């Protein structure tokens, strides 16, 4: 008999499948498709993009080999979520991505293709910067015997007044 609650089993199920490289890459390419669908008012394409984003961690199998870069990203993301979203740089990049992403969708809705394209590219660049920093943070926190149960501020993070000396 399992001692985990259904929500924990569901989370484990989703994390395992989301580590599939196809999951990461289809989500990367789904965003520009989503923006394009909004810009061009193609409802079927919009539904397909939203569906792809929503169901890909459910329909894709757990990878046989989690050695891909996108698998590292998912492991790092899971670690970051499980350990309190530490690191000033990571939190800043994560927070900066949302308004740019919303701006890209709004520009597409307003039918401003140049603005939509620039904001989509910026959103994706911020997301790639975030996941790159996330993987570096994860590797530093779990490197060679480091305590993986507690994570301090990211080494990439600029010190703040509350971070200490």
């Amino acid at each position: 008999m399992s001692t985990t609650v259904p929500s924990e089993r569901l989370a484990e199920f989703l994390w395992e499948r989301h580590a599939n490289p196809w999951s990461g890459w289809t989500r990367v390419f789904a965003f520009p498709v989503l923006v394009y669908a909004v810009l061009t008012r193609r409802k079927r394409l919009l539904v397909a993009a939203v569906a792809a984003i929503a169901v890909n961690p459910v329909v894709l199998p757990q990878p046989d080999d989690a050695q891909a870069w996108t698998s590292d990203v998912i492991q790092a993301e899971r670690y970051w979520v499980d350990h309190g979203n530490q690191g000033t740089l990571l939190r800043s990049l994560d927070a900066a991505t949302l308004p740019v992403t919303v701006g890209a969708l709004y520009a597409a809705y307003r039918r401003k293709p140049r603005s939509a394209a620039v904001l989509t590219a910026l959103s994706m660049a911020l997301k790639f910067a975030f996941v790159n920093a996330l993987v570096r943070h994860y590797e530093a926190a779990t490197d060679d015997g480091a305590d993986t149960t507690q994570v301090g501020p990211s080494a990439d993070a600029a010190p703040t007044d509350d971070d200490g000396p």
Side-chain angles (χ1 to χ4, degrees):
M1 177 182 235
S2 175
T3 59
T4 59
V5 295
S7 62
E8 290 173 350
R9 288 192 305 267
L10 177 61
E12 185 69 23
F13 173 86
L14 293 174
W15 279 117
E16 287 172 352
R17 280 144 184 82
H18 192 36
N20 186 320
W22 282 99
S23 178
W25 288 115
T26 56
R27 290 170 78 86
V28 166
F29 292 114
F31 180 63
V33 171
L34 181 67
V35 172
Y36 179 75
V38 171
L39 181 69
T40 60
R41 309 297 195 259
R42 294 188 177 175
K43 291 179 184 173
R44 284 186 180 170
L45 188 58
L46 177 66
V47 169
V50 170
I53 292 167
V55 303
N56 88 9
V58 176
V59 298
L60 293 169
Q62 180 178 353
D64 293 331
D65 176 359
Q67 299 301 312
W69 177 77
T70 53
S71 298
D72 291 346
V73 168
I74 300 307
Q75 289 173 331
E77 182 181 16
R78 182 177 187 179
Y79 182 84
W80 190 61
V81 167
D82 288 348
H83 289 85
N85 301 347
Q86 297 293 320
T88 305
L89 175 64
L90 291 172
R91 287 191 310 269
S92 298
L93 285 169
D94 191 36
T97 303
L98 180 62
V100 175
T101 300
V102 170
L105 289 167
Y106 183 71
Y109 172 76
R110 300 282 297 165
R111 291 193 171 178
K112 296 184 176 186
R114 285 190 200 130
S115 296
V118 168
L119 290 168
T120 298
L122 181 57
S123 173
M124 293 179 73
L126 285 168
K127 186 66 171 183
F128 277 114
F130 168 72
V131 297
N132 183 48
L134 189 63
V135 169
R136 287 196 327 264
H137 171 79
Y138 172 70
E139 289 171 346
T142 60
D143 191 27
D144 293 330
D147 181 4
T148 60
T149 59
Q150 294 182 350
V151 179
S154 169
D156 297 331
T160 63
D161 291 336
D162 59 327
D163 285 336

